[in-house]
Amino acid sequence: MDFAKRAVDHLHYDIDPIIRNRLDNDFYKLLMRKMILNRHPKAQVRFALKNRTSDIPLARIIPIEALREQLDHVKQLRYEPQDIHWIGGNTFYGKTGMFDRDFLNHLKISRLPDYELSIDKSGDQFIFETEGDWPDTMDWEDYVLATVNEMRNREVMRGLSPLEIDVMYARAKSKFVAKLEEIRRHPGIRVSEFGTRRRHSHPWQRWVIEAMMEMLGDQMVGTSNSFFARELGIEAKGTNAHELPMVYAALAAARHPITDGALRHSQYDVLSDWRHDYDGNLLMALPDTYGTTQFLENAPPEIAMIWKGFRPDSKDPYEATDELVAYWKRHAQDPKKKIVLYSDGLDVPVPGYELNGESMIAIHEAVKDRVTDTYGWGTMATNDFIGCIPGLPDALKPISLVCKVHSVNGHPAVKLSDNPAKAASPSKQEIERYLRAFGAEGIGDERRTRV
Amino acid sequence: MDFAKRAVDHLHYDIDPIIRNRLDNDFYKLLMRKMILNRHPKAQVRFALKNRTSDIPLARIIPIEALREQLDHVKQLRYEPQDIHWIGGNTFYGKTGMFDRDFLNHLKISRLPDYELSIDKSGDQFIFETEGDWPDTMDWEDYVLATVNEMRNREVMRGLSPLEIDVMYARAKSKFVAKLEEIRRHPGIRVSEFGTRRRHSHPWQRWVIEAMMEMLGDQMVGTSNSFFARELGIEAKGTNAHELPMVYAALAAARHPITDGALRHSQYDVLSDWRHDYDGNLLMALPDTYGTTQFLENAPPEIAMIWKGFRPDSKDPYEATDELVAYWKRHAQDPKKKIVLYSDGLDVPVPGYELNGESMIAIHEAVKDRVTDTYGWGTMATNDFIGCIPGLPDALKPISLVCKVHSVNGHPAVKLSDNPAKAASPSKQEIERYLRAFGAEGIGDERRTRV
């Protein structure tokens, strides 16, 4: 793949679709979708785009009509027969037939709901929202994130000469391979590629995954991207995301507008539903939607005893490890036999470049004798072009773009997380109610604000 | 140009010709050829290949039959009409019509003489020799050097995976661009690309030249390669080479087997013939064929007064500068108005890599206030892949391969140079005679042995 040529060609086409296949999405969407279809198929869930990097005025960079063309292209995509065959026939986490005929038939006839796209009053940011049956609407998240991120990158590259683009890719390759060489020096590290939503582009993500496969060998354990898992014949990875507890909580809050017990308990209902539908390696809990500390405090004992581990996703990784180790010890579990999947803003140091996130290497060295550590590597795997454009080191610095659950059946949803910069809701009043119900104990300060 | 793809494709073709055009050669061959055609059109000159990097067993790396196929392809190439039009119609060093109709007609009907190719007794090295009329045989030098160098590179790359090749080009691009950025920080530097014979490959040389053009702007003053000068619309650069004094000396030595005066004087005969045929910026003397010190000592005053400058090509550049400055001062010339063209083993420092040669930057900083300095940048521009292959930093380290005048009308030729490692002759007896005639004063030690 000649990345430079491809980037240059963008200047001469009308539309070069960014998303070309419904499987070009995080695998956990399929896992969650199966449970959602069983339990909440008619929940009307609204997702909304938010650019946390508000100083990058996306709506002034990307022409809205071009974005609409890309999203219209996405909207008419279907799960194709070969996609369905892979979902139905493949083995995931050692299990065959994980997805039954009913689910596959549902996928075949499913359609992405419509979306609304406009520009906010400031003129700087897009407003993107979509609402529909939860099992259908949930797929929009990755598609819109990957689309907006790649369109921004294309616009930045429009200002570069072919040589500058060529040099940019050469440097990005050199930089990424240096990261892989560093990971190889720590053979205990196991890493999955988790960077679909914030990738530089689809073909770049493929290059990244192929480089990981060749250079890391057994240290590379899979990708979260279903399309590349199929195309490259590797393991599809992922379990579940914040949208589950967010929707469950919003449903509980709407059903019980006065008392908070059901709201607090909804975070564990997600896990009992999940455990009913899945077992084994898929029992990885995401503890931080409303704060990890309160989550662990009140969790039913099975979470410590039966679940395989946790994915801390917003707390300082060292604090999170301490907290999880203490939790398991309190429940007489051997932490070394438990899995911690680190997935929040990971990077790998490269000489001559600044680290942009938490060092996977440093975490591994600190935790490897305490827990079974594994890594989900996102943005800094699939979108690290920092320092790669001659004279414009930060022009392609990744932005923190998210597409979160906004409301459920018209009731506002809330995420608190361990990091106040990641807290989100359309309703301040609702955030206050959640803070009352869940408390703010153990939540960090704003310092850890990053992609 | 997707270099990685191209390199991988080599594994699947029968022959991918390395030399495809007679202009893919050093421009000074045309300049010298015009003079040679006027003065010594029937001298029977034999050129011979020599690998000074004798620990690289080229004949065990490159299949001889594949090399023969490439050379047979070269041999049948002709100067094509569009080549002749460029030579006849273009402006060189500010002069139009430098090459007259007779010369152009000569080129049209000229043919490369046959060559002999075998393997030496050790089995390690190729024996390549070619003999014929000097104006025809002289073109073989660059063709055979570029061919053997690129074939060696292809064989090395045959052992690499597509990813390794991809990473190799990415790193080489990053490294080269870092060199250009360093040159740009010294805006007084003027540099020409002089790396045809030792290039990695033809398309890589094009990439290098285009990168220099874009990134260096006015600091890039041209290329020695006629083909790329035409293709890319830039200045063709170069004046004359060691073969002129070597053949002149061999002819003198054969005519005057007893006395040495004519032998010593032959080095100046070259220059008076040259000055008769050319003037202006082409009056750049190469002083080191038989040692710079004796050359300057006995040179006729016009060399100091009328000639524009020198190209020191084998002496330590700082010593050479001191010697030239002192020479000009002795002859009441202002050295600052004289040109020194540095062309011997130049490199540019890049963080994280070892310098492989003399730093162009350091020379410039040392001499810029004393002379008008300019640079002919060869191997480390067009063939620096040192440290670029993961785990095999030296696999493509350039070798010191030369193709020198071996004999003239059957009489052995000799080069002494300022660097004993560059001295060459098929006859030890003849070297001794030349050392008697020219002396060894001012010739350095073996320390400076490199490409």
Side-chain angles (χ1 to χ4, degrees):
Chain A
M1 161 62 63
D2 188 342
F3 295 103
K5 180 179 176 309
R6 181 171 180 278
V8 170
D9 285 349
H10 289 149
L11 314 183
H12 307 292
Y13 296 9
D14 256 12
I15 174 172
D16 175 2
I18 289 169
I19 304 294
R20 298 172 184 218
N21 188 292
R22 287 296 297 274
L23 285 187
D24 192 3
N25 201 350
D26 278 325
F27 176 65
Y28 69 9
K29 288 283 181 183
L30 287 168
L31 293 171
M32 292 191 288
R33 187 173 189 153
K34 185 177 115 168
M35 181 176 109
I36 292 165
L37 196 69
N38 290 341
R39 294 164 192 283
H40 302 282
K42 289 294 166 193
Q44 294 301 294
V45 175
R46 173 172 288 261
F47 281 81
L49 187 73
K50 183 170 170 62
N51 178 12
R52 292 178 191 154
T53 313
S54 52
D55 59 327
I56 303 286
L58 289 173
R60 299 190 188 275
I61 295 170
I62 301 167
I64 190 169
E65 283 317 315
L67 176 56
R68 204 185 300 277
E69 275 180 335
Q70 289 287 344
L71 297 176
D72 285 347
H73 177 82
V74 173
K75 191 178 166 303
Q76 53 75 41
L77 290 174
R78 307 278 176 264
Y79 283 97
E80 301 291 341
Q82 67 268 35
D83 307 335
I84 305 281
H85 300 154
W86 178 81
I87 296 168
N90 199 9
T91 301
F92 302 107
Y93 287 95
K95 280 191 84 157
T96 50
M98 186 179 277
F99 299 101
D100 61 21
R101 187 175 306 266
D102 282 352
F103 180 73
L104 299 177
N105 283 334
H106 152 76
L107 284 186
K108 260 182 228 170
I109 58 167
S110 71
R111 298 289 179 266
L112 283 170
D114 230 336
Y115 65 89
E116 304 146 30
L117 179 68
S118 60
I119 296 175
D120 70 6
K121 277 185 207 145
S122 73
D124 287 347
Q125 304 298 341
F126 291 115
I127 297 171
F128 170 94
E129 295 189 8
T130 177
E131 183 168 329
D133 293 350
W134 190 10
D136 294 325
T137 196
M138 67 189 301
D139 273 2
W140 265 116
E141 181 182 5
D142 277 65
Y143 301 148
V144 70
L145 293 176
T147 297
V148 173
N149 278 319
E150 186 170 342
M151 290 191 79
R152 176 214 175 203
N153 299 338
R154 290 180 179 185
E155 292 301 326
V156 170
M157 291 190 290
R158 217 177 275 279
L160 305 180
S161 73
L163 175 70
E164 286 170 322
I165 293 172
D166 190 12
V167 169
M168 180 192 85
Y169 283 113
R171 286 184 175 169
K173 286 178 178 174
S174 301
K175 190 176 183 184
F176 186 65
V177 165
K179 293 182 184 185
L180 298 183
E181 289 176 324
E182 180 63 17
I183 291 173
R184 221 155 48 170
R185 285 189 276 272
H186 300 268
I189 292 180
R190 293 287 173 277
V191 58
S192 296
E193 181 279 314
F194 270 27
T196 298
R197 62 189 59 197
R198 299 222 180 91
R199 70 191 179 198
H200 173 75
S201 68
H202 174 101
W204 180 253
Q205 186 181 15
R206 175 191 286 262
W207 186 90
V208 161
I209 296 172
E210 289 182 328
M212 289 174 78
M213 290 169 65
E214 178 167 332
M215 290 193 59
L216 298 184
D218 286 350
Q219 290 185 263
M220 159 68 163
V221 294
T223 171
S224 63
N225 184 293
S226 301
F227 178 84
F228 289 121
R230 183 187 70 183
E231 286 291 294
L232 304 175
I234 55 173
E235 280 273 310
K237 290 285 180 184
T239 60
N240 53 68
H242 297 106
E243 67 180 283
L244 292 182
M246 287 176 74
V247 173
Y248 272 60
L251 290 170
R255 271 195 309 269
H256 309 278
I258 310 302
T259 63
D260 289 338
L263 177 55
R264 272 199 306 275
H265 202 268
S266 65
Q267 59 188 336
Y268 308 116
D269 296 339
V270 170
L271 299 186
S272 62
D273 283 359
W274 187 268
R275 191 186 154 197
H276 186 271
D277 292 359
Y278 296 112
D279 56 18
N281 286 322
L282 284 174
L283 295 184
M284 287 289 296
L286 185 65
D288 69 331
T289 314
Y290 301 113
T292 299
T293 305
Q294 65 77 30
F295 178 94
L296 296 176
E297 199 95 353
N298 305 307
E302 63 164 73
I303 306 291
M305 295 184 324
I306 293 169
W307 283 61
K308 296 272 180 177
F310 291 98
R311 175 162 79 90
D313 195 47
S314 55
K315 187 164 254 186
D316 173 273
Y318 304 95
E319 286 173 34
T321 308
D322 290 345
E323 197 167 14
L324 293 172
V325 165
Y327 167 74
W328 280 313
K329 286 186 176 167
R330 270 203 311 280
H331 288 82
Q333 303 297 310
D334 179 0
K336 192 72 196 81
K337 293 187 177 150
K338 295 292 189 179
I339 299 168
V340 183
L341 166 54
Y342 299 89
S343 63
D344 183 25
L346 300 175
D347 198 3
V348 172
V350 174
Y353 291 97
E354 254 179 72
L355 191 73
N356 191 47
E358 292 288 346
S359 166
M360 192 188 300
I361 311 296
I363 296 173
H364 174 68
E365 288 305 316
V367 309
K368 65 181 181 188
D369 298 325
R370 305 175 70 203
V371 297
T372 297
D373 56 330
T374 180
Y375 300 86
W377 194 14
T379 313
M380 287 296 103
T382 58
N383 193 18
D384 184 3
F385 288 75
I386 300 172
C388 295
I389 304 175
L392 294 169
D394 289 331
L396 284 179
K397 194 167 181 175
I399 56 174
S400 185
L401 191 69
V402 295
C403 184
K404 287 284 171 194
V405 177
H406 175 275
S407 60
V408 181
N409 300 333
H411 196 90
V414 175
K415 183 187 174 192
L416 295 176
S417 104
D418 290 322
N419 176 356
K422 288 187 166 185
S425 175
S427 158
K428 277 196 178 170
Q429 205 184 325
E430 204 67 6
I431 289 185
E432 279 160 27
R433 181 182 170 190
Y434 277 59
L435 281 171
R436 270 199 319 274
F438 291 100
E441 195 201 346
I443 295 181
D445 58 36
E446 295 263 0
R447 192 170 32 84
R448 295 186 61 255
T449 307
R450 79 173 96 78
V451 176
Chain B
M1 160 64 57
D2 188 343
F3 295 103
K5 181 181 176 307
R6 180 171 181 279
V8 171
D9 285 349
H10 290 149
L11 314 184
H12 306 292
Y13 296 10
D14 256 12
I15 174 172
D16 175 2
I18 289 168
I19 305 294
R20 299 172 183 216
N21 189 293
R22 288 295 299 272
L23 284 188
D24 191 3
N25 201 350
D26 278 325
F27 175 63
Y28 69 10
K29 288 283 182 182
L30 287 168
L31 293 171
M32 292 191 288
R33 187 173 189 152
K34 185 177 116 170
M35 183 177 108
I36 291 165
L37 195 70
N38 289 342
R39 293 164 193 281
H40 302 282
K42 288 294 166 193
Q44 293 301 295
V45 175
R46 173 173 286 263
F47 281 82
L49 186 73
K50 183 170 170 61
N51 178 11
R52 292 178 191 154
T53 313
S54 52
D55 59 326
I56 302 285
L58 289 174
R60 299 191 188 275
I61 295 169
I62 302 167
I64 190 169
E65 283 317 315
L67 176 55
R68 205 185 300 278
E69 276 181 335
Q70 289 286 346
L71 297 176
D72 286 346
H73 178 82
V74 172
K75 190 178 169 299
Q76 53 76 41
L77 291 173
R78 307 278 175 264
Y79 283 97
E80 300 291 340
Q82 66 269 36
D83 307 334
I84 304 283
H85 300 154
W86 179 80
I87 297 168
N90 198 9
T91 301
F92 302 107
Y93 286 95
K95 279 191 83 159
T96 51
M98 186 179 277
F99 299 102
D100 61 22
R101 186 177 307 265
D102 282 352
F103 181 73
L104 299 177
N105 284 334
H106 152 77
L107 285 186
K108 261 183 229 169
I109 58 165
S110 70
R111 298 289 179 267
L112 282 170
D114 230 334
Y115 65 90
E116 303 145 32
L117 179 68
S118 58
I119 295 176
D120 70 6
K121 278 184 207 148
S122 73
D124 288 348
Q125 303 299 342
F126 291 116
I127 297 171
F128 170 93
E129 296 190 7
T130 177
E131 183 169 330
D133 293 350
W134 190 11
D136 293 326
T137 198
M138 66 189 302
D139 272 2
W140 266 115
E141 181 181 5
D142 277 63
Y143 301 148
V144 71
L145 293 176
T147 298
V148 173
N149 278 318
E150 186 170 342
M151 290 191 79
R152 175 214 176 203
N153 299 338
R154 289 181 179 185
E155 292 301 326
V156 170
M157 291 190 291
R158 217 177 274 278
L160 305 181
S161 74
L163 176 69
E164 286 170 324
I165 292 173
D166 190 11
V167 169
M168 180 191 86
Y169 282 112
R171 286 184 175 168
K173 284 178 179 176
S174 300
K175 190 176 182 185
F176 186 66
V177 165
K179 293 183 184 185
L180 298 183
E181 288 176 323
E182 180 63 19
I183 292 173
R184 221 154 49 168
R185 283 189 276 272
H186 301 267
I189 291 180
R190 293 287 174 277
V191 58
S192 296
E193 182 278 313
F194 269 26
T196 298
R197 61 188 60 196
R198 300 223 179 89
R199 69 191 180 197
H200 172 76
S201 68
H202 174 102
W204 181 253
Q205 185 182 16
R206 175 192 285 261
W207 186 89
V208 161
I209 297 171
E210 289 182 328
M212 289 174 76
M213 288 169 66
E214 179 166 332
M215 291 193 59
L216 297 184
D218 287 350
Q219 290 186 260
M220 159 67 163
V221 293
T223 172
S224 63
N225 184 293
S226 300
F227 179 83
F228 288 120
R230 183 187 69 183
E231 286 291 293
L232 305 175
I234 54 172
E235 280 273 312
K237 289 286 181 183
T239 59
N240 53 67
H242 297 107
E243 67 179 283
L244 291 184
M246 287 177 76
V247 174
Y248 271 59
L251 290 170
R255 271 197 309 267
H256 309 280
I258 309 302
T259 62
D260 289 338
L263 178 54
R264 272 198 306 276
H265 202 266
S266 66
Q267 60 188 334
Y268 308 117
D269 294 339
V270 170
L271 300 186
S272 63
D273 283 0
W274 187 266
R275 189 185 156 199
H276 186 271
D277 292 359
Y278 295 112
D279 56 18
N281 286 322
L282 285 174
L283 295 183
M284 287 291 294
L286 186 64
D288 68 333
T289 313
Y290 301 111
T292 299
T293 305
Q294 63 78 29
F295 178 94
L296 296 176
E297 197 95 353
N298 304 306
E302 63 165 73
I303 307 292
M305 296 183 323
I306 294 167
W307 284 60
K308 295 272 180 178
F310 290 98
R311 175 162 79 90
D313 196 46
S314 55
K315 188 164 253 185
D316 173 274
Y318 303 95
E319 286 173 34
T321 308
D322 289 346
E323 198 168 12
L324 292 172
V325 165
Y327 166 75
W328 280 313
K329 285 187 175 167
R330 271 205 308 280
H331 288 82
Q333 302 296 311
D334 179 0
K336 195 70 196 80
K337 292 187 179 150
K338 295 292 188 177
I339 300 168
V340 182
L341 167 54
Y342 300 89
S343 63
D344 184 25
L346 299 175
D347 198 3
V348 173
V350 175
Y353 291 97
E354 255 179 72
L355 191 72
N356 191 49
E358 293 288 345
S359 166
M360 193 188 299
I361 311 296
I363 297 173
H364 174 67
E365 289 305 316
V367 309
K368 65 182 181 186
D369 297 325
R370 305 174 70 203
V371 298
T372 298
D373 57 329
T374 180
Y375 300 86
W377 194 14
T379 313
M380 287 296 104
T382 59
N383 192 19
D384 185 2
F385 288 74
I386 300 172
C388 295
I389 303 176
L392 295 169
D394 289 331
L396 284 179
K397 194 167 180 175
I399 57 174
S400 184
L401 191 69
V402 295
C403 184
K404 285 286 173 193
V405 177
H406 174 276
S407 61
V408 181
N409 300 332
H411 196 90
V414 175
K415 184 188 174 191
L416 295 177
S417 103
D418 290 322
N419 175 356
K422 287 187 167 185
S425 176
S427 159
K428 278 198 178 171
Q429 204 184 326
E430 204 67 6
I431 290 186
E432 280 161 26
R433 179 180 173 193
Y434 277 59
L435 281 171
R436 272 200 316 275
F438 292 101
E441 194 201 347
I443 294 181
D445 57 38
E446 294 264 358
R447 193 170 32 84
R448 294 186 63 255
T449 306
R450 80 171 97 77
V451 176

